[in-house]
Amino acid sequence: MFSGRDLWMSSMYQLWRFSDALEPGQLHGEHYRLYLPQVGYTTGDLDIHNMGIEASGRVVFANTRFSCLTTTSDSHSFHPIWTPEFITRLAPEDRCHLKGLAMRDGAPAFVTAVSASDVADGWRDRRADGGIVIDVASNEIVAGGLSMPHSPRWHDGRL
């Protein structure tokens, strides 16, 4: 995910922020961008999907394994910031396969999940038609009956 001059990437167990080391107009050989790792977080197995940057500059990401939106933590694998209303506890069980995140005005606005399940791997039998879109602010399911929804985007005033 790009944010200004930064590139955020997740791997199996880590989250990385790379920053462009070149000044605008500066070249490195024939290249006008040179991304170097600046910050890395070891998160453990979270199955990070979509990411966004809040207006404050804080990274937010879909923590699929724990069925919530999270940010980084200095003392833990992650810090939860929002959980769907139907999720009764944080557990590494991939209950609803929450994976998509749409930002609006520098804040998380909508997420997608493959189902509204609250049991371990409960989404797996609902891939064809259990997908939902949730409004983060209201916790309301605003769309349903979707097949494996992913990567919602807020664009030009519309989801």
Side-chain angles (χ1 to χ4, degrees), residues 132-143:
I132 56 175
V133 179
I134 308 168
D135 182 316
V136 172
S138 69
N139 234 317
E140 178 185 354
I141 296 173
V142 296

Side-chain angles (χ1 to χ4, degrees), residues 91-152:
E93 298 175 339
D94 191 4
R95 293 173 172 218
C96 64
H97 209 63
L98 186 133
K99 60 185 188 172
L101 169 62
M103 302 291 287
R104 179 175 62 201
D105 301 327
F110 297 94
V111 298
T112 60
V114 175
S115 85
S117 171
D118 191 33
V119 297
D121 288 327
W123 62 275
R124 291 187 181 277
D125 63 349
R126 297 297 313 276
R127 293 179 207 187
D129 63 357
I132 56 175
V133 179
I134 308 168
D135 182 316
V136 172
S138 69
N139 234 317
E140 178 185 354
I141 296 173
V142 296
L146 307 172
S147 178
M148 299 284 290
H150 201 293
S151 302

Side-chain angles (χ1 to χ4, degrees), residues 1-2 8-10 15 46-53 59-64 68-71 81 97-103 108 110-113 148-154 159:
M1 178 206 58
F2 282 99
W8 286 86
M9 294 176 50
S10 63
L15 178 65
L46 302 184
D47 196 10
I48 295 172
H49 276 74
N50 284 170
M51 295 180 262
I53 303 295
V59 65
V60 175
F61 51 92
N63 181 337
T64 302
C68 62
L69 288 181
T70 62
T71 190
I81 59 173
H97 209 63
L98 186 133
K99 60 185 188 172
L101 169 62
M103 302 291 287
F110 297 94
V111 298
T112 60
M148 299 284 290
H150 201 293
S151 302
R153 294 295 177 256
W154 186 260
L159 177 65

Side-chain angles (χ1 to χ4, degrees), residues 10-25:
S10 63
S11 67
M12 184 71 85
Y13 302 104
Q14 296 174 317
L15 178 65
W16 287 93
R17 179 177 58 86
F18 294 78
S19 293
D20 185 0
L22 300 178
E23 295 299 321

